[in-house]
Amino acid sequence: MAQSRSDADRLFIAGAGIGGLTTALALSRRARPVTVFEQAATIEPVGSGLQLSPNAMHVLRGLGLEEALRRHAVAPRAVRVMSARTGNAIAEIPLGEHAEQRYGAPYLVIHRADLHSVLLNAARASAGITLRLGTRLRDASQNAGAVKVELEQAATDGGAAHVDHGSGAGLIGADGVWSTVRRRVMNLRQAVFSGRTAYRAVIPAEDVPQHWRDVTGLWLGANAHVVHYPVSGGRQFNLVALVSEDWREERWSAPADREALLARFADWPAACRDLLARPPSWLKWALCGMDPGTDWVDGRVALMGDAAHAMLPFAAQGAGMSIEDGEALARAIDRIPDVPRALRSYQAERQNRAEKVLRLARANDRVYHMRGPMALARDAVMRGLPAGRLLARLDWLYGWRPPAAG
Ligand SMILES: Cc1cc2nc3c(=O)[nH]c(=O)nc-3n(C[C@H](O)[C@H](O)[C@H](O)COP(=O)(O)OP(=O)(O)OC[C@H]3O[C@@H](n4cnc5c(N)ncnc54)[C@H](O)[C@@H]3O)c2cc1C
């Protein structure tokens, strides 16, 4: 890797996922040169749905991406909470216009591939961002003045991979739940399997009854819950069934046994079983989490997003927290010229909030999967609360906005 004058300032980001690209865009808007290494040689449209709550949308709006995102996303009217015991609605939590007015930004649901392509197109159009696909960060080291990275560049002709080195001002580990920066560079404990598995499918929206197409559905049952919502501008429908299952594999798209999944939900209400029976095939994904309290920063190296605080998706904030992290990182680096101090300031700003969300996701895991009298009590409490109050309990989460947005 050739060394130029600006390389002394250059920041490296490992991982062109949601958090890595957000960070790169936020840094490039502050005229900071950045190189992003992504191990995947091509960006495939993988994954399924993600929720983009107003806190994340404030950041993406600040990056000029709201219009592009709205073309792909849907703003669900409400979250309809359903009992898997009775098949009846327990509560309807207003989103749509209500959430937008309350928080000043929309609550959207979107296919991960659409969010990723909006970020990627913006990154490709930014002169300050160098994107190196097919380039895996293998290791890194640092001294008082610089960080050195060791990279593995996949050969385009199928030959042996090429090893390359580079030197810059800092390294951001945005390399996701199975982070190399976390494990190898910072020598921290990796995320652990949670004993929960998510089954995911995306089907044409026209295959789904009309009354489900403008809301997020949340079915609560013993040891399992189901979430569904429209994606791809309302043309597709995302289904996720989350179960207690101790299956472990480090990949996003393992094929799942459809019949075994349907058997597992055999005693659920017909309306939910009917939805689960629609997809001809399912993928599954073993869910991981991390314990709060570890450092995210070591000198010129920092973790962000899932690499810092991988969490169960039960607060629907994995993407949201990595987007918030990206904005905070860029702001700290812009404000504080000394990179190690800037990274410490980023951690001080972010850690409590991200770990509070991580704990919320764990609490939701217990509450969503309650059984017997506990489940009855939960349903009674939710039924008794005015719908607006259920949303207001999350004001601290959705009401966040970056300081620059005022
Ligand atoms: C392929 C994929 C599909 C997903 N599908 C869903 C989904 O359907 N629903 C959902 O809620 N969440 C999904 N997620 C997770 C969700 O995107 C993240 O939890 C969230 O966005 C946090 O983002 P992140 O930037 O921290 O990590 P991620 O978005 O996971 O990005 C990490 C990136 O780092 C790259 N990487 C990893 N190691 C290295 C390395 N050593 N060198 C260079 N690059 C590296 C990965 O290839 C990946 O692109 C998916 C993630 C991935 C990678």
Side-chain angles (χ1 to χ4, degrees), residues 14-20 37-40 43 46-51 112 116 135-138 174-181 200 229 252-253 285 304-307 313 318-320 322:
I18 307 302
F37 309 117
E38 168 55 50
Q39 64 184 2
I43 304 285
V46 284
S48 61
L50 283 177
Q51 310 204 31
R112 183 185 185 274
H116 200 220
T135 306
R136 187 170 73 83
L137 179 98
R138 287 214 313 205
D175 48 347
V177 61
W178 302 298
S179 166
T180 300
V181 177
R200 308 178 300 160
Y229 46 81
W252 291 104
S253 299
W285 155 32
M304 58 119 31
D306 283 0
S322 71

mmCIF file of all heavy atoms in Angstrom, residues 14-20 37-40 43 46-51 112 116 135-138 174-181 200 229 252-253 285 304-307 313 318-320 322, ligand 1:
data_model
loop_
_atom_site.group_PDB
_atom_site.id
_atom_site.type_symbol
_atom_site.label_atom_id
_atom_site.label_comp_id
_atom_site.label_asym_id
_atom_site.label_seq_id
_atom_site.Cartn_x
_atom_site.Cartn_y
_atom_site.Cartn_z
ATOM 1 N N ALA A 14 -12.578 -1.692 9.449
ATOM 2 C CA ALA A 14 -12.720 -3.098 9.048
ATOM 3 C C ALA A 14 -14.208 -3.413 9.025
ATOM 4 O O ALA A 14 -14.863 -3.374 10.065
ATOM 5 C CB ALA A 14 -11.997 -3.998 10.042
ATOM 6 N N GLY A 15 -14.742 -3.713 7.831
ATOM 7 C CA GLY A 15 -16.151 -4.088 7.699
ATOM 8 C C GLY A 15 -16.991 -3.011 7.037
ATOM 9 O O GLY A 15 -17.135 -1.914 7.562
ATOM 10 N N ALA A 16 -17.518 -3.344 5.855
ATOM 11 C CA ALA A 16 -18.432 -2.421 5.147
ATOM 12 C C ALA A 16 -19.864 -2.887 5.364
ATOM 13 O O ALA A 16 -20.635 -3.056 4.411
ATOM 14 C CB ALA A 16 -18.091 -2.367 3.660
ATOM 15 N N GLY A 17 -20.214 -3.127 6.635
ATOM 16 C CA GLY A 17 -21.612 -3.437 6.967
ATOM 17 C C GLY A 17 -22.343 -2.130 7.251
ATOM 18 O O GLY A 17 -21.935 -1.049 6.805
ATOM 19 N N ILE A 18 -23.400 -2.219 8.029
ATOM 20 C CA ILE A 18 -24.219 -1.033 8.288
ATOM 21 C C ILE A 18 -23.425 0.010 9.090
ATOM 22 O O ILE A 18 -23.401 1.191 8.746
ATOM 23 C CB ILE A 18 -25.501 -1.432 9.066
ATOM 24 C CG1 ILE A 18 -26.261 -2.566 8.342
ATOM 25 C CG2 ILE A 18 -26.384 -0.218 9.312
ATOM 26 C CD1 ILE A 18 -26.671 -2.272 6.943
ATOM 27 N N GLY A 19 -22.744 -0.448 10.145
ATOM 28 C CA GLY A 19 -22.021 0.490 10.997
ATOM 29 C C GLY A 19 -20.777 1.052 10.315
ATOM 30 O O GLY A 19 -20.495 2.247 10.405
ATOM 31 N N GLY A 20 -20.025 0.192 9.629
ATOM 32 C CA GLY A 20 -18.787 0.633 8.979
ATOM 33 C C GLY A 20 -19.068 1.691 7.917
ATOM 34 O O GLY A 20 -18.366 2.714 7.830
ATOM 35 N N PHE A 37 -12.163 -1.713 4.602
ATOM 36 C CA PHE A 37 -11.837 -3.057 4.110
ATOM 37 C C PHE A 37 -13.039 -3.963 4.332
ATOM 38 O O PHE A 37 -13.547 -4.038 5.455
ATOM 39 C CB PHE A 37 -10.664 -3.661 4.901
ATOM 40 C CG PHE A 37 -9.466 -2.758 4.988
ATOM 41 C CD1 PHE A 37 -9.023 -2.288 6.210
ATOM 42 C CD2 PHE A 37 -8.784 -2.384 3.848
ATOM 43 C CE1 PHE A 37 -7.922 -1.461 6.302
ATOM 44 C CE2 PHE A 37 -7.675 -1.552 3.925
ATOM 45 C CZ PHE A 37 -7.244 -1.089 5.160
ATOM 46 N N GLU A 38 -13.455 -4.655 3.300
ATOM 47 C CA GLU A 38 -14.582 -5.581 3.446
ATOM 48 C C GLU A 38 -14.151 -6.944 2.921
ATOM 49 O O GLU A 38 -13.696 -7.058 1.787
ATOM 50 C CB GLU A 38 -15.811 -5.059 2.678
ATOM 51 C CG GLU A 38 -16.948 -6.044 2.505
ATOM 52 C CD GLU A 38 -17.469 -6.657 3.822
ATOM 53 O OE1 GLU A 38 -17.743 -5.891 4.769
ATOM 54 O OE2 GLU A 38 -17.582 -7.898 3.898
ATOM 55 N N GLN A 39 -14.339 -7.964 3.745
ATOM 56 C CA GLN A 39 -13.873 -9.296 3.343
ATOM 57 C C GLN A 39 -14.654 -9.857 2.157
ATOM 58 O O GLN A 39 -14.104 -10.589 1.335
ATOM 59 C CB GLN A 39 -13.936 -10.251 4.529
ATOM 60 C CG GLN A 39 -15.343 -10.511 5.043
ATOM 61 C CD GLN A 39 -15.368 -11.400 6.280
ATOM 62 O OE1 GLN A 39 -14.323 -11.796 6.793
ATOM 63 N NE2 GLN A 39 -16.545 -11.724 6.763
ATOM 64 N N ALA A 40 -15.941 -9.512 2.039
ATOM 65 C CA ALA A 40 -16.737 -10.050 0.928
ATOM 66 C C ALA A 40 -16.275 -9.408 -0.382
ATOM 67 O O ALA A 40 -16.096 -8.192 -0.463
ATOM 68 C CB ALA A 40 -18.214 -9.750 1.158
ATOM 69 N N ILE A 43 -20.910 -7.585 -2.896
ATOM 70 C CA ILE A 43 -21.943 -7.359 -1.883
ATOM 71 C C ILE A 43 -23.227 -7.991 -2.406
ATOM 72 O O ILE A 43 -23.839 -7.512 -3.358
ATOM 73 C CB ILE A 43 -22.130 -5.849 -1.617
ATOM 74 C CG1 ILE A 43 -20.797 -5.208 -1.223
ATOM 75 C CG2 ILE A 43 -23.209 -5.630 -0.568
ATOM 76 C CD1 ILE A 43 -20.291 -5.484 0.171
ATOM 77 N N VAL A 46 -28.087 -10.077 0.702
ATOM 78 C CA VAL A 46 -28.449 -11.066 1.725
ATOM 79 C C VAL A 46 -29.163 -10.418 2.909
ATOM 80 O O VAL A 46 -29.136 -9.213 3.071
ATOM 81 C CB VAL A 46 -27.207 -11.812 2.264
ATOM 82 C CG1 VAL A 46 -26.704 -12.840 1.283
ATOM 83 C CG2 VAL A 46 -26.132 -10.833 2.655
ATOM 84 N N GLY A 47 -29.739 -11.274 3.726
ATOM 85 C CA GLY A 47 -30.395 -10.803 4.943
ATOM 86 C C GLY A 47 -31.894 -10.687 4.734
ATOM 87 O O GLY A 47 -32.433 -11.061 3.687
ATOM 88 N N SER A 48 -32.551 -10.181 5.752
ATOM 89 C CA SER A 48 -33.997 -9.976 5.643
ATOM 90 C C SER A 48 -34.305 -8.594 6.219
ATOM 91 O O SER A 48 -33.572 -7.657 5.961
ATOM 92 C CB SER A 48 -34.738 -11.117 6.338
ATOM 93 O OG SER A 48 -34.422 -11.162 7.714
ATOM 94 N N GLY A 49 -35.366 -8.492 7.019
ATOM 95 C CA GLY A 49 -35.787 -7.156 7.437
ATOM 96 C C GLY A 49 -35.003 -6.596 8.616
ATOM 97 O O GLY A 49 -34.426 -7.341 9.410
ATOM 98 N N LEU A 50 -34.992 -5.278 8.698
ATOM 99 C CA LEU A 50 -34.409 -4.552 9.828
ATOM 100 C C LEU A 50 -35.370 -3.429 10.203
ATOM 101 O O LEU A 50 -36.069 -2.904 9.347
ATOM 102 C CB LEU A 50 -33.113 -3.860 9.418
ATOM 103 C CG LEU A 50 -31.826 -4.628 9.253
ATOM 104 C CD1 LEU A 50 -30.750 -3.656 8.779
ATOM 105 C CD2 LEU A 50 -31.390 -5.284 10.537
ATOM 106 N N GLN A 51 -35.359 -3.027 11.467
ATOM 107 C CA GLN A 51 -36.171 -1.890 11.866
ATOM 108 C C GLN A 51 -35.249 -0.681 12.021
ATOM 109 O O GLN A 51 -34.175 -0.788 12.604
ATOM 110 C CB GLN A 51 -36.886 -2.204 13.179
ATOM 111 C CG GLN A 51 -37.592 -3.558 13.086
ATOM 112 C CD GLN A 51 -38.752 -3.719 14.035
ATOM 113 O OE1 GLN A 51 -39.427 -2.761 14.376
ATOM 114 N NE2 GLN A 51 -38.993 -4.942 14.457
ATOM 115 N N ARG A 112 -32.626 -5.432 4.838
ATOM 116 C CA ARG A 112 -31.224 -5.067 5.096
ATOM 117 C C ARG A 112 -30.478 -4.789 3.798
ATOM 118 O O ARG A 112 -29.646 -3.885 3.726
ATOM 119 C CB ARG A 112 -30.495 -6.181 5.866
ATOM 120 C CG ARG A 112 -29.059 -5.788 6.209
ATOM 121 C CD ARG A 112 -28.286 -6.916 6.860
ATOM 122 N NE ARG A 112 -26.964 -6.490 7.282
ATOM 123 C CZ ARG A 112 -25.899 -6.492 6.504
ATOM 124 N NH1 ARG A 112 -25.981 -6.892 5.249
ATOM 125 N NH2 ARG A 112 -24.725 -6.073 6.972
ATOM 126 N N HIS A 116 -28.391 -1.472 3.022
ATOM 127 C CA HIS A 116 -26.972 -1.632 2.709
ATOM 128 C C HIS A 116 -26.648 -1.002 1.361
ATOM 129 O O HIS A 116 -25.632 -0.320 1.197
ATOM 130 C CB HIS A 116 -26.624 -3.124 2.728
ATOM 131 C CG HIS A 116 -25.168 -3.387 2.884
ATOM 132 N ND1 HIS A 116 -24.507 -4.372 2.199
ATOM 133 C CD2 HIS A 116 -24.225 -2.780 3.640
ATOM 134 C CE1 HIS A 116 -23.231 -4.353 2.527
ATOM 135 N NE2 HIS A 116 -23.032 -3.397 3.409
ATOM 136 N N THR A 135 -11.187 -7.768 0.747
ATOM 137 C CA THR A 135 -9.984 -7.489 1.549
ATOM 138 C C THR A 135 -10.302 -7.738 3.022
ATOM 139 O O THR A 135 -11.090 -7.014 3.628
ATOM 140 C CB THR A 135 -9.545 -6.019 1.363
ATOM 141 O OG1 THR A 135 -9.406 -5.775 -0.034
ATOM 142 C CG2 THR A 135 -8.241 -5.737 2.066
ATOM 143 N N ARG A 136 -9.701 -8.779 3.555
ATOM 144 C CA ARG A 136 -9.991 -9.152 4.944
ATOM 145 C C ARG A 136 -8.898 -8.624 5.862
ATOM 146 O O ARG A 136 -7.706 -8.797 5.571
ATOM 147 C CB ARG A 136 -10.054 -10.682 5.042
ATOM 148 C CG ARG A 136 -10.520 -11.203 6.400
ATOM 149 C CD ARG A 136 -10.787 -12.694 6.312
ATOM 150 N NE ARG A 136 -9.550 -13.459 6.234
ATOM 151 C CZ ARG A 136 -8.813 -13.811 7.269
ATOM 152 N NH1 ARG A 136 -9.197 -13.482 8.506
ATOM 153 N NH2 ARG A 136 -7.697 -14.509 7.111
ATOM 154 N N LEU A 137 -9.296 -7.973 6.937
ATOM 155 C CA LEU A 137 -8.315 -7.569 7.941
ATOM 156 C C LEU A 137 -7.889 -8.828 8.696
ATOM 157 O O LEU A 137 -8.731 -9.522 9.271
ATOM 158 C CB LEU A 137 -8.924 -6.569 8.931
ATOM 159 C CG LEU A 137 -7.915 -6.170 9.992
ATOM 160 C CD1 LEU A 137 -7.256 -4.851 9.635
ATOM 161 C CD2 LEU A 137 -8.542 -6.088 11.369
ATOM 162 N N ARG A 138 -6.580 -9.117 8.670
ATOM 163 C CA ARG A 138 -6.104 -10.322 9.381
ATOM 164 C C ARG A 138 -5.625 -9.986 10.772
ATOM 165 O O ARG A 138 -5.812 -10.727 11.713
ATOM 166 C CB ARG A 138 -4.928 -10.949 8.614
ATOM 167 C CG ARG A 138 -5.340 -11.637 7.364
ATOM 168 C CD ARG A 138 -4.523 -12.851 7.038
ATOM 169 N NE ARG A 138 -3.090 -12.730 7.133
ATOM 170 C CZ ARG A 138 -2.247 -13.495 6.460
ATOM 171 N NH1 ARG A 138 -2.708 -14.422 5.632
ATOM 172 N NH2 ARG A 138 -0.959 -13.363 6.600
ATOM 173 N N ALA A 174 -15.466 -2.471 12.736
ATOM 174 C CA ALA A 174 -16.907 -2.505 12.440
ATOM 175 C C ALA A 174 -17.192 -3.842 11.778
ATOM 176 O O ALA A 174 -17.982 -3.929 10.839
ATOM 177 C CB ALA A 174 -17.272 -1.339 11.520
ATOM 178 N N ASP A 175 -16.505 -4.887 12.264
ATOM 179 C CA ASP A 175 -16.530 -6.171 11.564
ATOM 180 C C ASP A 175 -17.502 -7.158 12.191
ATOM 181 O O ASP A 175 -17.339 -8.377 12.047
ATOM 182 C CB ASP A 175 -15.108 -6.754 11.423
ATOM 183 C CG ASP A 175 -14.300 -6.747 12.713
ATOM 184 O OD1 ASP A 175 -14.723 -6.082 13.687
ATOM 185 O OD2 ASP A 175 -13.250 -7.408 12.751
ATOM 186 N N GLY A 176 -18.533 -6.646 12.853
ATOM 187 C CA GLY A 176 -19.691 -7.465 13.181
ATOM 188 C C GLY A 176 -19.503 -8.413 14.352
ATOM 189 O O GLY A 176 -18.523 -8.360 15.099
ATOM 190 N N VAL A 177 -20.475 -9.280 14.484
ATOM 191 C CA VAL A 177 -20.588 -10.099 15.690
ATOM 192 C C VAL A 177 -19.402 -11.067 15.868
ATOM 193 O O VAL A 177 -19.038 -11.392 16.993
ATOM 194 C CB VAL A 177 -21.957 -10.812 15.678
ATOM 195 C CG1 VAL A 177 -22.123 -11.721 14.499
ATOM 196 C CG2 VAL A 177 -22.220 -11.564 16.962
ATOM 197 N N TRP A 178 -18.786 -11.506 14.759
ATOM 198 C CA TRP A 178 -17.647 -12.415 14.864
ATOM 199 C C TRP A 178 -16.340 -11.658 14.587
ATOM 200 O O TRP A 178 -15.472 -12.105 13.843
ATOM 201 C CB TRP A 178 -17.851 -13.608 13.915
ATOM 202 C CG TRP A 178 -19.120 -14.321 14.242
ATOM 203 C CD1 TRP A 178 -19.442 -14.947 15.404
ATOM 204 C CD2 TRP A 178 -20.293 -14.440 13.411
ATOM 205 N NE1 TRP A 178 -20.723 -15.450 15.356
ATOM 206 C CE2 TRP A 178 -21.265 -15.166 14.145
ATOM 207 C CE3 TRP A 178 -20.621 -14.022 12.126
ATOM 208 C CZ2 TRP A 178 -22.535 -15.463 13.639
ATOM 209 C CZ3 TRP A 178 -21.877 -14.324 11.615
ATOM 210 C CH2 TRP A 178 -22.817 -15.034 12.371
ATOM 211 N N SER A 179 -16.197 -10.531 15.216
ATOM 212 C CA SER A 179 -15.150 -9.545 14.914
ATOM 213 C C SER A 179 -13.715 -10.056 15.109
ATOM 214 O O SER A 179 -13.342 -10.536 16.183
ATOM 215 C CB SER A 179 -15.384 -8.350 15.833
ATOM 216 O OG SER A 179 -14.282 -7.490 15.853
ATOM 217 N N THR A 180 -12.897 -9.880 14.083
ATOM 218 C CA THR A 180 -11.460 -10.167 14.179
ATOM 219 C C THR A 180 -10.764 -9.103 15.028
ATOM 220 O O THR A 180 -9.830 -9.401 15.779
ATOM 221 C CB THR A 180 -10.830 -10.170 12.766
ATOM 222 O OG1 THR A 180 -11.471 -11.177 11.998
ATOM 223 C CG2 THR A 180 -9.342 -10.432 12.797
ATOM 224 N N VAL A 181 -11.221 -7.853 14.890
ATOM 225 C CA VAL A 181 -10.575 -6.780 15.672
ATOM 226 C C VAL A 181 -10.795 -7.051 17.159
ATOM 227 O O VAL A 181 -9.879 -6.927 17.969
ATOM 228 C CB VAL A 181 -11.131 -5.391 15.263
ATOM 229 C CG1 VAL A 181 -10.509 -4.295 16.120
ATOM 230 C CG2 VAL A 181 -10.869 -5.126 13.787
ATOM 231 N N ARG A 200 -35.848 -17.034 9.377
ATOM 232 C CA ARG A 200 -36.197 -15.835 8.611
ATOM 233 C C ARG A 200 -36.666 -16.213 7.214
ATOM 234 O O ARG A 200 -36.125 -17.141 6.592
ATOM 235 C CB ARG A 200 -34.980 -14.925 8.462
ATOM 236 C CG ARG A 200 -34.298 -14.610 9.771
ATOM 237 C CD ARG A 200 -33.078 -13.749 9.563
ATOM 238 N NE ARG A 200 -32.105 -14.408 8.697
ATOM 239 C CZ ARG A 200 -31.152 -13.782 8.036
ATOM 240 N NH1 ARG A 200 -31.064 -12.475 8.096
ATOM 241 N NH2 ARG A 200 -30.299 -14.449 7.303
ATOM 242 N N TYR A 229 -43.347 -7.894 9.214
ATOM 243 C CA TYR A 229 -43.654 -6.550 8.726
ATOM 244 C C TYR A 229 -43.341 -6.483 7.229
ATOM 245 O O TYR A 229 -42.573 -7.302 6.713
ATOM 246 C CB TYR A 229 -42.885 -5.471 9.503
ATOM 247 C CG TYR A 229 -41.407 -5.744 9.741
ATOM 248 C CD1 TYR A 229 -40.458 -5.503 8.760
ATOM 249 C CD2 TYR A 229 -40.969 -6.249 10.966
ATOM 250 C CE1 TYR A 229 -39.114 -5.742 8.996
ATOM 251 C CE2 TYR A 229 -39.622 -6.490 11.207
ATOM 252 C CZ TYR A 229 -38.701 -6.231 10.216
ATOM 253 O OH TYR A 229 -37.363 -6.473 10.442
ATOM 254 N N TRP A 252 -25.017 -16.305 8.363
ATOM 255 C CA TRP A 252 -26.272 -15.580 8.329
ATOM 256 C C TRP A 252 -27.364 -16.336 7.608
ATOM 257 O O TRP A 252 -28.526 -16.035 7.762
ATOM 258 C CB TRP A 252 -26.081 -14.220 7.639
ATOM 259 C CG TRP A 252 -25.269 -13.302 8.454
ATOM 260 C CD1 TRP A 252 -23.961 -12.973 8.250
ATOM 261 C CD2 TRP A 252 -25.687 -12.609 9.630
ATOM 262 N NE1 TRP A 252 -23.546 -12.119 9.234
ATOM 263 C CE2 TRP A 252 -24.594 -11.876 10.083
ATOM 264 C CE3 TRP A 252 -26.885 -12.533 10.341
ATOM 265 C CZ2 TRP A 252 -24.657 -11.077 11.223
ATOM 266 C CZ3 TRP A 252 -26.939 -11.737 11.457
ATOM 267 C CH2 TRP A 252 -25.836 -11.028 11.881
ATOM 268 N N SER A 253 -26.998 -17.271 6.767
ATOM 269 C CA SER A 253 -27.989 -17.807 5.841
ATOM 270 C C SER A 253 -27.966 -19.323 5.771
ATOM 271 O O SER A 253 -27.913 -19.896 4.688
ATOM 272 C CB SER A 253 -27.757 -17.215 4.447
ATOM 273 O OG SER A 253 -27.901 -15.825 4.513
ATOM 274 N N TRP A 285 -30.512 -18.525 11.724
ATOM 275 C CA TRP A 285 -29.385 -17.708 12.160
ATOM 276 C C TRP A 285 -29.316 -17.818 13.684
ATOM 277 O O TRP A 285 -30.276 -17.508 14.372
ATOM 278 C CB TRP A 285 -29.646 -16.315 11.610
ATOM 279 C CG TRP A 285 -29.071 -15.116 12.249
ATOM 280 C CD1 TRP A 285 -27.890 -15.006 12.898
ATOM 281 C CD2 TRP A 285 -29.668 -13.815 12.257
ATOM 282 N NE1 TRP A 285 -27.714 -13.720 13.311
ATOM 283 C CE2 TRP A 285 -28.787 -12.960 12.930
ATOM 284 C CE3 TRP A 285 -30.849 -13.277 11.757
ATOM 285 C CZ2 TRP A 285 -29.054 -11.619 13.133
ATOM 286 C CZ3 TRP A 285 -31.102 -11.935 11.954
ATOM 287 C CH2 TRP A 285 -30.218 -11.121 12.620
ATOM 288 N N MET A 304 -17.032 -0.918 17.282
ATOM 289 C CA MET A 304 -18.349 -0.282 17.178
ATOM 290 C C MET A 304 -19.379 -1.322 16.709
ATOM 291 O O MET A 304 -19.028 -2.410 16.263
ATOM 292 C CB MET A 304 -18.314 0.882 16.190
ATOM 293 C CG MET A 304 -17.887 0.508 14.808
ATOM 294 S SD MET A 304 -19.084 0.791 13.514
ATOM 295 C CE MET A 304 -19.999 2.157 14.013
ATOM 296 N N GLY A 305 -20.658 -0.957 16.829
ATOM 297 C CA GLY A 305 -21.723 -1.836 16.338
ATOM 298 C C GLY A 305 -21.679 -3.195 17.022
ATOM 299 O O GLY A 305 -21.350 -3.321 18.208
ATOM 300 N N ASP A 306 -22.005 -4.231 16.257
ATOM 301 C CA ASP A 306 -22.048 -5.578 16.825
ATOM 302 C C ASP A 306 -20.697 -6.025 17.373
ATOM 303 O O ASP A 306 -20.643 -6.844 18.294
ATOM 304 C CB ASP A 306 -22.505 -6.590 15.763
ATOM 305 C CG ASP A 306 -24.007 -6.550 15.526
ATOM 306 O OD1 ASP A 306 -24.695 -5.744 16.182
ATOM 307 O OD2 ASP A 306 -24.494 -7.330 14.696
ATOM 308 N N ALA A 307 -19.602 -5.533 16.821
ATOM 309 C CA ALA A 307 -18.280 -5.921 17.324
ATOM 310 C C ALA A 307 -18.096 -5.449 18.767
ATOM 311 O O ALA A 307 -17.414 -6.085 19.564
ATOM 312 C CB ALA A 307 -17.184 -5.333 16.436
ATOM 313 N N PRO A 313 -31.740 -9.561 19.000
ATOM 314 C CA PRO A 313 -32.497 -8.576 18.207
ATOM 315 C C PRO A 313 -33.853 -8.237 18.819
ATOM 316 O O PRO A 313 -34.727 -7.735 18.133
ATOM 317 C CB PRO A 313 -32.667 -9.301 16.861
ATOM 318 C CG PRO A 313 -32.648 -10.741 17.191
ATOM 319 C CD PRO A 313 -31.754 -10.898 18.393
ATOM 320 N N GLY A 318 -30.018 -3.546 16.700
ATOM 321 C CA GLY A 318 -28.643 -3.871 16.275
ATOM 322 C C GLY A 318 -28.152 -2.855 15.251
ATOM 323 O O GLY A 318 -27.075 -2.261 15.396
ATOM 324 N N ALA A 319 -28.947 -2.622 14.228
ATOM 325 C CA ALA A 319 -28.550 -1.649 13.199
ATOM 326 C C ALA A 319 -28.578 -0.235 13.779
ATOM 327 O O ALA A 319 -27.662 0.562 13.559
ATOM 328 C CB ALA A 319 -29.481 -1.759 11.995
ATOM 329 N N GLY A 320 -29.621 0.062 14.551
ATOM 330 C CA GLY A 320 -29.772 1.415 15.107
ATOM 331 C C GLY A 320 -28.579 1.812 15.955
ATOM 332 O O GLY A 320 -28.051 2.932 15.835
ATOM 333 N N SER A 322 -25.532 0.606 15.818
ATOM 334 C CA SER A 322 -24.292 0.762 15.034
ATOM 335 C C SER A 322 -24.338 2.067 14.242
ATOM 336 O O SER A 322 -23.307 2.716 14.040
ATOM 337 C CB SER A 322 -24.039 -0.454 14.142
ATOM 338 O OG SER A 322 -24.955 -0.492 13.099
HETATM 339 C C1 LIG B 1 -24.636 -10.778 5.626
HETATM 340 C C2 LIG B 1 -25.414 -10.215 6.780
HETATM 341 C C3 LIG B 1 -26.812 -10.378 6.844
HETATM 342 C C4 LIG B 1 -27.539 -9.866 7.920
HETATM 343 N N1 LIG B 1 -28.881 -10.025 7.952
HETATM 344 C C5 LIG B 1 -29.598 -9.460 8.940
HETATM 345 C C6 LIG B 1 -31.005 -9.547 8.937
HETATM 346 O O1 LIG B 1 -31.586 -10.113 8.038
HETATM 347 N N2 LIG B 1 -31.705 -8.970 9.950
HETATM 348 C C7 LIG B 1 -31.065 -8.331 10.967
HETATM 349 O O2 LIG B 1 -31.725 -7.811 11.877
HETATM 350 N N3 LIG B 1 -29.722 -8.232 10.991
HETATM 351 C C8 LIG B 1 -28.983 -8.781 10.006
HETATM 352 N N4 LIG B 1 -27.642 -8.678 10.016
HETATM 353 C C9 LIG B 1 -27.021 -8.031 11.180
HETATM 354 C C10 LIG B 1 -27.179 -6.562 11.179
HETATM 355 O O3 LIG B 1 -26.876 -6.028 9.917
HETATM 356 C C11 LIG B 1 -26.219 -6.066 12.244
HETATM 357 O O4 LIG B 1 -26.568 -6.629 13.496
HETATM 358 C C12 LIG B 1 -26.298 -4.602 12.436
HETATM 359 O O5 LIG B 1 -26.552 -3.927 11.262
HETATM 360 C C13 LIG B 1 -25.005 -4.095 13.078
HETATM 361 O O6 LIG B 1 -24.113 -3.818 12.040
HETATM 362 P P1 LIG B 1 -22.545 -3.880 12.099
HETATM 363 O O7 LIG B 1 -22.087 -2.869 11.120
HETATM 364 O O8 LIG B 1 -22.032 -3.816 13.472
HETATM 365 O O9 LIG B 1 -22.184 -5.316 11.528
HETATM 366 P P2 LIG B 1 -22.571 -5.996 10.169
HETATM 367 O O10 LIG B 1 -23.635 -5.255 9.469
HETATM 368 O O11 LIG B 1 -22.764 -7.417 10.506
HETATM 369 O O12 LIG B 1 -21.261 -5.809 9.274
HETATM 370 C C14 LIG B 1 -20.015 -6.399 9.527
HETATM 371 C C15 LIG B 1 -19.224 -6.433 8.224
HETATM 372 O O13 LIG B 1 -17.870 -6.731 8.502
HETATM 373 C C16 LIG B 1 -17.372 -7.624 7.522
HETATM 374 N N5 LIG B 1 -16.218 -8.310 8.117
HETATM 375 C C17 LIG B 1 -16.218 -9.219 9.115
HETATM 376 N N6 LIG B 1 -14.952 -9.569 9.420
HETATM 377 C C18 LIG B 1 -14.140 -8.846 8.605
HETATM 378 C C19 LIG B 1 -12.723 -8.756 8.464
HETATM 379 N N7 LIG B 1 -11.864 -9.476 9.241
HETATM 380 N N8 LIG B 1 -12.205 -7.929 7.524
HETATM 381 C C20 LIG B 1 -13.046 -7.184 6.728
HETATM 382 N N9 LIG B 1 -14.394 -7.247 6.817
HETATM 383 C C21 LIG B 1 -14.927 -8.051 7.764
HETATM 384 C C22 LIG B 1 -18.577 -8.518 7.259
HETATM 385 O O14 LIG B 1 -18.451 -9.202 6.024
HETATM 386 C C23 LIG B 1 -19.708 -7.501 7.254
HETATM 387 O O15 LIG B 1 -19.903 -6.925 5.987
HETATM 388 C C24 LIG B 1 -26.878 -9.179 8.970
HETATM 389 C C25 LIG B 1 -25.468 -9.011 8.904
HETATM 390 C C26 LIG B 1 -24.740 -9.516 7.828
HETATM 391 C C27 LIG B 1 -23.222 -9.327 7.760
#
